[in-house]
């Protein structure tokens, strides 16, 4: 837990960066989902689904699996 870290320790800095990156992935997925729900052309839908898949994989690899 970050509150248990020593201020400025390398592990705490790495954890904060990871948490920020994971938050960005979740926010990006939310934006993509909103766009998909709003309707889209065939090409745009393919692009959005590809982006969703790529961001979901990054979120899983970097944030959920370790």
């Amino acid at each position: 837990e970050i509150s248990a870290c020593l201020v400025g320790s390398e592990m705490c800095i790495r954890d904060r960066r990871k948490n920020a990156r994971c938050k960005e992935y979740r926010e990006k997925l939310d934006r993509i989902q909103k766009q998909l729900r709003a309707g889209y052309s065939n090409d745009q839908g393919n692009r959005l689904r590809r982006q969703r898949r790529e961001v979901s994989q990054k979120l899983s690899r970097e944030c959920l699996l370790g």
Side-chain angles (χ1 to χ4, degrees):
E1 185 175 327
I2 291 178
S3 62
C5 292
L6 296 173
V7 174
S9 77
E10 188 175 322
M11 183 174 274
C12 289
I13 293 167
R14 198 169 39 243
D15 286 348
R16 276 189 230 120
R17 286 182 184 148
K18 179 181 176 184
N19 289 340
R21 188 172 55 247
C22 294
K23 182 180 178 194
E24 288 176 20
Y25 290 153
R26 288 183 180 95
E27 289 171 351
K28 187 166 187 169
L29 279 174
D30 286 344
R31 285 193 301 272
I32 293 168
Q33 283 299 118
K34 283 180 185 178
Q35 289 178 302
L36 284 167
R37 284 192 300 271
Y40 46 82
S41 67
N42 191 44
D43 289 341
Q44 187 181 21
N46 289 335
R47 180 181 55 79
L48 290 168
R49 284 187 293 277
R50 186 187 73 247
Q51 287 178 346
R52 180 179 60 186
R53 185 174 50 253
E54 291 169 357
V55 175
S56 291
Q57 288 171 349
K58 288 180 182 180
L59 179 67
S60 293
R61 264 194 316 270
E62 298 176 27
C63 303
L64 302 177
L65 298 176

